[in-house]
Amino acid sequence: MSIKSVSKPVSWSIVLGVVFILSGFMPPGRLFSDPEHYLALHTALEFFSIAVAAMVFALGWNLRHTTRGGRLVWLGAVFLGVGLIDFAHTLSYAGMPVFVTPSGADKAIQFWLAARLLLVVGLLVFALLPERRWPPACADGVTAAALGIALLTMWVVLWHQDWLPVSFIPGEGVTPFKVGAEYVLAALYVLAALMLWQRALRDRDASARWLAAAAWVLALAELYFTLYVDVSDLFNVAGHLYKFAAYAMIYRAVFVSGVREPQQALRREQALLRALIDSVPDLIAFKDPQGRYLGCNKAYAKAYGVRECDLVGLREETAMRAAGNLDGAGADGGVVSTPEHHEEWLETVDGGLRLLDTLRTPYRDENGVTLGEIRISRDFTERRKMREQIAEREQRVMLAVESAGLGVWDWDLRSGRCVFSPTWCEMIGFRADELPAHVSAWEERVHPEDWGDIRAALEPHLGGATESYRVEYRIRHQDGHWVWVMAAGRVLDRDEQGAAARVVGIHQDISQRKTMEESLLQLATSDPLTGLWNRRHFTGMMRGELGRVRRGQSQAALLLLDLDHFKRVNDTHGHAAGDIVLRHFVNVVDVQLREADVFARMGGEEFAVLLPCIDALGAMRVAERLCRVVAASPAMVDGQPLSFTVSVGVAMLHEADQAHDEAYSRADEALYAAKHGGRNRAVLARERDTAPPSFEGGAVSVSPG
């Protein structure tokens, strides 16, 4: 909001306010010896306000379909009613000819008060109305209501004036009713001025600032009309002059907002549009519904060797012949009804040939009526050459890739067409002619669990976030087994909006590598003799479970198991027998555990079990059962049963544990206590100062410390 736009209405409001204050010290002398001498000036001032009211109504009615149409229709309807009542006021002024009933001050004042009341109510509502378009029925209804109010006012004042209180007594001046009414109107105008000014500051609206200033001046005018004694004295004339000034401000506000500002905005938009189309390297031209040129941009004029001013008004055939383009002289000069897209050759003024990708499309108004045609041509010559070079290069690359055993796929995203090379088809057991050339042939064979990885890699690349697409997934072979492939690709072509249009890539069979990786992973995380998890994997599981315990999500226990006198087995029966015992022990224990329990070999004859979601009593019951079952399940070595037992140390995982080693240490101490307490038993590690109860008779005791 510029300082100048704010200062003008404020300055006028201050100046007129100061003049009003100074005039209050002047006597209400008569300016005209006879009221009839005042008629010409009064009529001129009133007709000015009536003309402004008519202009506001006409502007509001014609702008009713715009985004501000609702407020403008309201203001126009209000001024329609005010203008009609002011017209009746002018015809009823003292000294005017008979207007249905004899003219006089009282009759004119009744019309005056009605018009001023309608105007101030209209301004108050205008300050509150939101900026939006009204339905046609609403606009018609408001206008009809304003017209009805004006006619109703005339009917009452002209035919039933006796219903109204007296407002003026000749020789005495205005009555208390008239003075009170003017004070009320002045107060309402001041309120309207404040509301309009607040709305102007909020919306940064210059027209609302002028309307606020007009409401303020109208308030001063009403105060003048509380002071006059004769219809032609100083205060009466001053009141009409202030009304004239207020209506001049209203004219300024409505004319600027409704006419001048839209025209200036239109000129700015036209200049911007002109600069935009001239800056575009594409060839752009416009035609009217009859096919005559309305204009073109600089690129179009340069390509065809014509000036825009010489082109305007000509049909295409005439324009091309004038430009010396014989190929274009026979072209159809009509306007298309639907968008058309084609390629055409253009012989430029320098004798060169250019390939144009041309779009002809109609443009229409809001009612669908065709206003003409827009023609946009893009120089496609270099792109065509580039495409041909790319196609040749792709053919060479295809030969090299196929010879390397890589399958190639070429996917058109717009149509869904996807071409698979013979090697790609062979990877999954098909011949090239057995798979349809559509992306669905690939989609229906992808492993369902791998779609998340595919989308995570493909969608960012299609959107332009990554330079290439690369992912590993499984695809179903014709005989039903799954083939691991590594897919890599890249977007080769995008449309004008930047969306991916074509993607090309390769498939490589990586099934052998995946099998090797799985074998290496198995070796890295499991014990080769028993098939159990090894120490490294078990440690990771311990860390994860301790994290859940520390977050208060569950309880968990750790069991350390050690086979009693296992060295005797190896020394007496040999290491092969020891291996048999270890595998037998694993089978016996494994069937006693839950699916969620983690069973691992820590080394030698030492094993560990992680029991999630269990308390100390439950953990001891599991340990006791394992001791009992192992003791009752001898291994068969050389056809003979070989009995053995196991000792178990039990420790709970605690929230206070900083690392899994602390629980492991407690379980190890409990295992040591079980060994020294006679073996073939389970011992629960003592938790701080609390000693757990001893379970005798079942080979289960408590750790001594």
Side-chain angles (χ1 to χ4, degrees):
M1 185 184 298
S2 65
I3 297 177
K4 183 178 180 181
S5 64
V6 175
S7 62
K8 277 190 175 183
V10 171
S11 299
W12 278 106
S13 299
I14 293 174
V15 168
L16 292 174
V18 171
V19 172
F20 172 79
I21 294 173
L22 295 177
S23 65
F25 297 99
M26 300 178 64
R30 294 179 63 179
L31 296 182
F32 299 92
S33 58
D34 191 299
E36 292 184 357
H37 298 163
Y38 176 43
L39 281 178
L41 177 60
H42 176 268
T43 303
L45 294 175
E46 289 298 332
F47 268 84
F48 172 78
S49 65
I50 294 170
V52 171
M55 184 271 295
V56 173
F57 166 69
L59 192 62
W61 181 256
N62 285 285
L63 295 178
R64 65 188 183 278
H65 299 301
T66 64
T67 54
R68 301 181 61 188
R71 297 184 76 209
L72 292 176
V73 164
W74 171 264
L75 195 63
V78 169
F79 272 93
L80 172 64
V82 171
L84 291 174
I85 299 174
D86 274 342
F87 180 72
H89 161 77
T90 304
L91 297 181
S92 302
Y93 209 73
M96 294 292 287
V98 173
F99 174 49
V100 181
T101 59
S103 299
D106 188 51
K107 177 182 174 184
I109 289 173
Q110 301 295 350
F111 281 121
W112 172 272
L113 293 177
R116 303 290 75 75
L117 178 60
L118 178 59
L119 178 56
V120 72
V121 171
L123 291 176
L124 288 170
V125 174
F126 179 79
L128 299 174
L129 287 176
E131 295 276 7
R132 66 184 180 190
R133 182 184 304 171
W134 281 4
C138 188
D140 295 342
V142 169
T143 304
L147 185 61
I149 291 173
L151 295 177
L152 177 63
T153 302
M154 292 181 187
W155 179 74
V156 172
V157 175
L158 294 176
W159 282 280
H160 300 283
Q161 191 175 359
D162 56 320
W163 293 358
L164 303 174
V166 177
S167 59
F168 183 83
I169 300 176
E172 297 181 13
V174 295
T175 64
F177 162 75
K178 169 67 162 60
V179 174
E182 295 288 5
Y183 277 127
V184 170
L185 288 172
L188 291 176
Y189 275 120
V190 171
L191 177 60
L194 294 175
M195 293 173 63
L196 288 167
W197 187 257
Q198 183 182 18
R199 179 71 177 261
L201 295 177
R202 187 188 70 189
D203 297 346
R204 305 174 69 86
D205 185 0
S207 62
R209 290 191 292 275
W210 280 106
L211 287 177
W216 166 254
V217 175
L218 285 171
L220 298 179
E222 298 302 328
L223 293 177
Y224 270 126
F225 288 115
T226 64
L227 302 175
Y228 75 92
V229 176
D230 187 80
V231 293
S232 61
D233 68 10
L234 171 66
F235 295 130
N236 187 290
V237 174
H240 281 88
L241 290 174
Y242 268 56
K243 179 190 174 186
F244 176 89
Y247 270 72
M249 293 178 178
I250 292 171
Y251 173 81
R252 169 69 170 74
V254 177
F255 178 79
V256 169
S257 65
V259 179
R260 185 184 300 172
E261 288 182 355
Q263 288 179 345
Q264 291 174 347
L266 180 60
R267 285 194 293 270
R268 289 194 297 268
E269 290 180 0
Q270 289 175 337
L272 175 61
L273 179 61
R274 187 75 227 186
L276 285 174
I277 65 172
D278 280 339
S279 65
V280 173
D282 295 341
L283 283 58
I284 303 175
F286 325 96
K287 295 180 180 179
D288 65 13
Q290 288 72 41
R292 293 186 293 265
Y293 278 96
L294 297 173
C296 66
N297 68 343
K298 291 181 179 179
Y300 191 95
K302 181 179 179 181
Y304 284 95
V306 296
R307 295 184 304 172
E308 183 182 11
C309 60
D310 297 333
L311 198 64
V312 174
L314 300 179
R315 294 183 179 274
E316 185 168 350
E317 182 179 357
T318 306
M320 294 300 102
R321 185 179 290 111
N325 190 325
L326 299 180
D327 290 338
D332 179 14
V335 174
V336 297
S337 57
T338 58
E340 292 185 2
H341 189 270
H342 64 274
E343 293 182 358
E344 59 183 340
W345 287 96
L346 168 67
E347 182 177 359
T348 59
V349 292
D350 58 4
L353 283 176
R354 310 300 295 176
L355 178 63
L356 301 182
D357 182 26
T358 299
L359 172 66
R360 298 174 62 190
T361 182
Y363 63 97
R364 299 179 172 88
D365 61 13
E366 59 184 8
N367 298 318
V369 178
T370 300
L371 301 178
E373 176 189 306
I374 300 176
R375 179 190 182 102
I376 304 175
S377 299
R378 175 163 295 180
D379 191 336
F380 206 63
T381 311
E382 297 302 325
R383 183 177 292 186
R384 170 64 68 87
K385 291 180 180 179
M386 187 177 299
R387 282 187 175 180
E388 292 174 352
Q389 293 173 357
I390 290 174
E392 183 180 354
R393 188 180 301 122
E394 286 178 355
Q395 197 171 22
R396 293 198 299 267
V397 171
M398 180 73 73
L399 293 174
V401 168
E402 291 285 341
S403 63
L406 300 176
V408 180
W409 47 271
D410 189 336
W411 180 17
D412 185 338
L413 277 75
R414 291 167 293 193
S415 64
R417 176 179 172 80
C418 191
V419 179
F420 308 103
S421 71
T423 303
W424 192 98
C425 299
E426 289 172 4
M427 285 185 189
I428 56 175
F430 290 92
R431 295 194 310 271
D433 57 355
E434 291 180 328
L435 287 177
H438 196 271
V439 69
S440 59
W442 163 72
E443 292 174 337
E444 64 189 17
R445 289 171 173 80
V446 173
H447 197 291
E449 296 179 0
D450 295 339
W451 272 113
D453 294 337
I454 294 173
R455 293 191 181 97
L458 182 59
E459 291 176 359
H461 178 59
L462 296 181
T466 58
E467 293 184 358
S468 62
Y469 156 66
R470 185 183 181 91
V471 67
E472 297 177 358
Y473 60 90
R474 290 160 290 181
I475 188 167
R476 190 176 66 252
H477 194 275
Q478 186 182 23
D479 61 14
H481 74 272
W482 296 101
V483 179
W484 273 101
V485 296
M486 186 279 293
R490 177 171 294 183
V491 173
L492 286 189
D493 193 14
R494 296 183 181 274
D495 60 20
E496 296 180 355
Q497 289 73 38
R502 183 185 176 203
V503 188
V504 175
I506 61 169
H507 268 187
Q508 181 182 6
D509 189 338
I510 59 171
S511 299
Q512 290 184 350
R513 195 196 80 194
K514 281 293 184 178
T515 301
M516 185 179 298
E517 288 177 355
E518 291 176 3
S519 299
L520 292 174
L521 179 62
Q522 181 70 18
L523 291 174
T525 59
S526 63
D527 173 55
L529 176 64
T530 62
L532 296 179
W533 298 117
N534 61 14
R535 178 186 290 271
R536 175 185 296 177
H537 183 78
F538 186 79
T539 299
M541 300 294 288
M542 275 280 290
R543 289 196 187 98
E545 192 62 34
L546 178 59
R548 285 187 284 274
V549 171
R550 293 177 64 183
R551 292 192 295 271
Q553 295 178 346
S554 68
Q555 291 180 294
L558 170 65
L559 309 185
L560 285 185
L561 302 86
D562 190 270
L563 273 63
D564 299 329
H565 303 299
F566 184 72
K567 187 173 182 302
R568 294 180 186 175
V569 176
N570 284 330
D571 293 344
T572 304
H573 301 281
H575 288 284
D579 291 346
I580 293 174
V581 170
L582 290 176
R583 286 193 290 267
H584 176 73
F585 168 75
V586 167
N587 293 333
V588 170
V589 173
D590 191 56
V591 298
Q592 302 297 321
L593 299 178
R594 301 169 300 177
E595 185 176 351
D597 299 336
V598 183
F599 190 18
R601 184 184 181 190
M602 307 301 285
E605 68 273 22
E606 183 179 344
F607 296 83
V609 178
L610 178 61
L611 302 175
C613 302
I614 198 169
D615 57 13
L617 182 59
M620 283 300 296
R621 286 175 177 169
V622 173
E624 177 186 13
R625 185 172 67 252
L626 294 180
C627 289
R628 186 170 56 251
V629 171
V630 169
S633 305
M636 298 300 295
V637 178
D638 296 330
Q640 298 295 323
L642 178 59
S643 298
F644 61 96
T645 60
V646 66
S647 298
V648 184
V650 183
M652 297 298 296
L653 278 64
H654 294 308
E655 296 181 7
D657 289 342
Q658 297 300 313
H660 72 284
D661 293 341
E662 297 183 23
Y664 190 90
S665 237
R666 293 194 300 273
D668 192 55
E669 291 176 1
L671 177 61
Y672 179 81
K675 289 287 188 182
H676 285 267
R679 293 184 172 83
N680 190 23
R681 65 186 61 217
V683 173
L684 177 64
R686 183 190 304 175
E687 310 300 341
R688 292 183 172 84
D689 299 327
T690 302
S694 176
F695 297 85
E696 298 294 347
V700 181
S701 63
V702 68
S703 169

